Amino acid sequence: MFVALGAHLLLAVTLPALAGRLGRGCYLLAATVPAATFGWLVARIPAVLDSVPTGGAGAGAGAAGSAGLTEVIPWAGTVGLELALRLTPLALLMALLVTGVGALVMIYSFSYHDADGAHGTNGAHGAPAGPPARPRGLGGMSAALLGFAGAMLGLVLADDLFTLYVFWELTTVLSFLLIGQDGIGAANRRSALQALLTTTLGGLPMLLGFVLLGMTAGTTRISAIVAAPPSGPVVTVALVLVLVGAVTKSAQLPFHSWLPAAMVAPTPVSAYLHAAAMVKAGVFLIAALMPAFADVPGWRVPAVVIGATTMLLGGARALRQTDLKLLLAFGTVSQLGFLTALVGFGSRTAALAGATALLAHGLFKSALFMVVGVIDHQAGTRDIRELCGLGRAVPGVCAVAVFAAASMVGLPPFLGFLGKEAAFEAFAHGGPGDQVLLGVLVAGAVLTTAYTLRFLWGAFASPSGRQPRAMARPTVLFVLPAAMPALAGLGLGLNYQAVDRLVGSYADGYPSSGDRYHLALWHGLGLPVWLTVVAIGGGALLFAAGLPGASPAGRSGRSARSPLVPSGAWVARVRRVRRVLDGQRGYEQAVRALDWSAVAVTGRLQAGSLPVYLAVILVMLLAEPGSALITASSWPHELPLWDYRIQLPLAACVVLASLAVVRADGRLTATLLLGTAGYGIGALYVVDGAPDLALAQFLVETLSLIAFVFVLRRMPVRFSTADRSAPLWLGRVAIAGAVGVFVAGFAIVTSGSRATPEVVSTQFIARSPAETGATNVVNAIIVDFRAFDTLGEISVLAVATLGVASLLLFARTPPPREATAPRGTTGGGAAPGPGRSVLLEVTTRAVFPVLLVFSLYLLFAGHTRTGGGFSGGLVAGLAFVLRYVSGRRHRVGAAVPVVPTTVMGAGLVVAGVAALAPTLVGDPVLESYVFHGELPVLGDVELVTSVFFDCGVYLLIVGVVLELLRTLGTAVDKEADAGLRAADDPSIGVSP
């Protein structure tokens, strides 16, 4: 299972690089991975079904928890984190759907995105929206689609709550990219953001629910929780929070509006994400946990009520649509409500019906979406007011749609019939509440039949008085991916015994009494059969009554007004109710209210003063940790004033430099004094026997000093005296003094409160040589013992650097319009100009490679001597700074012909790969290995694998420094050079 996930990820990362050579063939290549995974899953069906305990009707949740095949990779064993996958019957059903439909959709995309990039209309609400938004690129689009397939596969296979959450959020992010495409179209941006905000809004409380559920159960393994479910009020709260995430992901009321809005995405995205994969995630999560918590009404009742209400609302909205894709979207909302009500009911028969309907819906809805894509692509529209005669023009496409629609309506012998009859049976013999729910399901089935007939009539009928729509005949490869799931609905309906064994293995996890229900094409003339007749007949009558509303509507609205709605006062009342229940309008109002609140709060709290912001942070530091330091800390009994006499002059130097900074009027003077204080602290590290800390301090201080100088070039020489009034000055002095006292006291208390120092520090020293191969304990802590911290820190550093750089580049005043520079003055061999020293340039040419070699020495020697990736990266960065100082941007560009962000990204990738590599052999993340051996010429060699992690740190630090040069150095140089040229040549103006 991990191999399948890795294959999805690896090929997804590779596809963008292959797009230029393969073109549309990227989709065919992408289809190979889910197709191969589908074949592997089919081969595992007997093993999974045989693993289900044969405990009979009373097996209950224990059977559900013990079934399946498991793979586990330790992540952080000491805190119980692990990557756990489990192939249960329910997971197998969903995985087959995800991989099978995924492979077909990618093959379908090959024809959909034809050679000239055209793919029909892109309007989300009715009429075509003009030129379609072009995809983000064949490589990027295919990579995102394949990556989503891998994330969805990981979600359904996950046997750990936090593993599931990671894949859950990956599907959210990738769906944002797939809906947004290249981000140029405003509709794509809005819909992608709506989907992201809505599903993330549900994902956060779901995460809290996972935490509470894991803490109560004592484990985060889903199989263990289902086998021995916890109970109590905390569990009920946790399940309600989980339900919030499920209903947002599966587009249930009141969060359903994001799904119709997402129809701006290309049809392959809708056929996969919004029919067979992403929207099923919430239903799958409820189904996975319900066997253990079917007796918890706090989440069972809301799930059923929300699902039943969504089924009716979605079906009613589908009847009003004239855009085929929107009709299917609201139909999907209705069907998802049907599925939520079934899997949330908590009985064996309802679970059996839910699992069957889940499989059937994925098949027929993906087929219908692909049919709409074929029509849109070949006819140039999907508006039923403009379509006519397609049934005669493309009878093969019409046949595919009829087969899929028959399963959606629930006609025998299709798979949809089996699921719908089982659903009616689940509520046919219950109490009054079950009977009410049965009536709702029948009403929803009537609506389903009506909008299905509306879909077929609108797409393929030939209404009188309308000209037939011209449509190019599609290729077989274009129609075949839609035909296969439609035919599968028929084949699985005929082979109902195989389906019954699969879904029955899941349903047996529910407690049941008496005879267990099984899928069959004929159970006799019972109530479910007559209800099916009522649903189909009632839907046909409803469609016939509203038939005239399909053609005469205008082109301005989202949908045509149904003639079934009375006119006059009733129309006004219905419209008012509809506005209140309009989920899209509610979302837009909520976003506007959030924006208004953010502006109001920001306007009051963000005063635009950095001293104010810093003062607030420091005051809170004094209020919270400061009070705890005073009330709950024990001070050491013996506190020596100094350890070495040399510390006295060094400390005095630091103190005097700090006092002088406060009194300095010039910015450069204050910067140099700050550097003096920093170098003094580095000297204290040397005296205390911490060469690694001292080296890092000296390097960071040097780099900080240079950064300050870069900034000072664009600022006044002296500080402003406007804010030096006595009250402000005294307040700042008080806060600064209090913070200084707090930091000193905190350092004294923490250093003197080590009751058992051998537990941590001594163990680091003792274990470092044997476990990490390091004699430099500091480096061993950074890249081995506390490597998780280091990985998080470099990630934060990368994000912070990119954020600061973006703000600086965005806020910079537009530079003067560049003129054509004299030949030979812009390359790496530019001649020295004013302000450039020939001696410095020659010296730099000699020193630069030496510094780079020295940085590599620090990198590779850090495990046994002073150094490491951090220090080596800083030295390499300072080498590039020196090259910049000697030759400005010309020299840096010649030495580093890559974008700094690429270097940073490479560092994160190298560190991440080094962290995950041990999992390939079953070891925990960030496990390190020590190799000894003899090599020709080199002799005895010792290689520690953590050096690769250190290489990632090295590259990231170098990238950060280069980005610093780009934003604070070379960009300012370009502005200055352009300004000089503008001053020399009056014909060069300044851009507005």
Side-chain angles (χ1 to χ4, degrees), residues 607-924:
S609 172
L610 292 179
V612 171
Y613 302 156
L614 185 60
V616 171
I617 295 173
L618 294 179
V619 167
M620 293 306 300
L621 177 69
L622 294 172
E624 294 291 337
S627 59
L629 181 68
I630 296 174
T631 58
S633 300
S634 58
W635 293 79
H637 299 290
E638 296 182 2
L639 184 64
L641 296 179
W642 63 79
D643 295 319
Y644 308 99
R645 293 181 179 179
I646 189 63
Q647 292 175 326
L648 293 177
L650 291 176
C653 178
V654 172
V655 172
L656 291 175
S658 301
L659 293 174
V661 169
V662 179
R663 303 300 303 170
D665 292 329
R667 298 180 188 272
L668 181 60
T669 303
T671 300
L672 295 175
L673 289 171
L674 278 175
T676 302
Y679 286 126
I681 293 173
L684 287 173
Y685 289 152
V686 173
V687 173
D688 284 331
D692 282 274
L693 293 179
L695 178 61
Q697 176 70 21
F698 287 138
L699 294 173
V700 169
E701 201 62 48
T702 303
L703 194 59
S704 301
L705 184 63
I706 294 171
F708 273 116
V709 172
F710 284 162
V711 174
L712 293 181
R713 294 189 300 171
R714 307 294 290 178
M715 299 183 68
V717 176
R718 297 188 178 277
F719 291 107
S720 172
T721 58
D723 58 348
R724 291 195 176 183
S725 59
L728 286 176
W729 188 83
L730 291 176
R732 293 175 181 176
V733 169
I735 293 175
V739 171
V741 172
F742 163 74
V743 172
F746 183 79
I748 293 172
V749 169
T750 53
S751 62
S753 60
R754 299 176 182 174
T756 56
E758 68 278 5
V759 173
V760 178
S761 56
T762 305
Q763 288 297 317
F764 279 156
I765 297 173
R767 295 187 177 188
S768 180
E771 297 185 6
T772 70
T775 55
N776 182 352
V777 181
V778 174
N779 189 261
I781 293 173
I782 293 174
V783 300
D784 278 293
F785 295 121
R786 303 295 298 272
F788 262 123
D789 293 347
T790 305
L791 186 61
E793 288 162 3
I794 62 175
S795 302
V796 171
L797 179 60
V799 172
T801 302
L802 293 176
V804 171
S806 300
L807 289 174
L808 290 173
L809 294 176
F810 177 78
R812 181 168 290 124
T813 303
R817 190 176 290 120
E818 297 244 7
T820 302
R823 187 179 301 274
T825 62
T826 59
R836 292 170 63 180
S837 168
V838 175
L839 179 61
L840 182 58
E841 288 200 24
V842 172
T843 304
T844 301
R845 288 177 180 270
V847 173
F848 178 74
V850 175
L851 288 177
L852 289 182
V853 172
F854 180 60
S855 71
L856 293 175
Y857 166 79
L858 291 176
L859 167 64
F860 291 107
H863 231 51
T864 55
R865 299 175 181 83
T866 299
F870 184 74
S871 299
L874 289 175
V875 171
L878 289 174
F880 288 110
V881 171
L882 178 61
R883 193 175 178 92
Y884 166 78
V885 171
S886 67
R888 300 176 72 183
R889 68 179 188 275
H890 310 293
R891 298 302 183 193
V892 177
V896 188
V898 294
V899 180
T901 52
T902 303
V903 182
M904 294 170 58
L908 283 176
V909 170
V910 170
V913 170
L916 294 174
T919 61
L920 298 177
V921 294
D923 287 333

Side-chain angles (χ1 to χ4, degrees), residues 83 153 409 455 501 506 586 607 651 785 847 938 984:
L83 294 175
L153 180 63
V409 169
F455 174 88
R501 188 182 179 197
Y506 157 69
F785 295 121
V847 173
L938 298 178
D984 294 339

Side-chain angles (χ1 to χ4, degrees), residues 13-77:
V13 172
T14 309
L15 281 175
L18 302 176
R21 181 180 298 271
L22 297 179
R24 291 184 299 151
C26 287
Y27 289 106
L28 298 180
L29 179 61
T32 59
V33 175
T37 306
F38 179 83
W40 180 85
L41 290 169
V42 170
R44 293 297 179 274
I45 292 177
V48 174
L49 297 183
D50 292 340
S51 69
V52 179
T54 57
S66 59
L69 308 177
T70 303
E71 291 182 9
V72 180
I73 292 180
W75 177 261

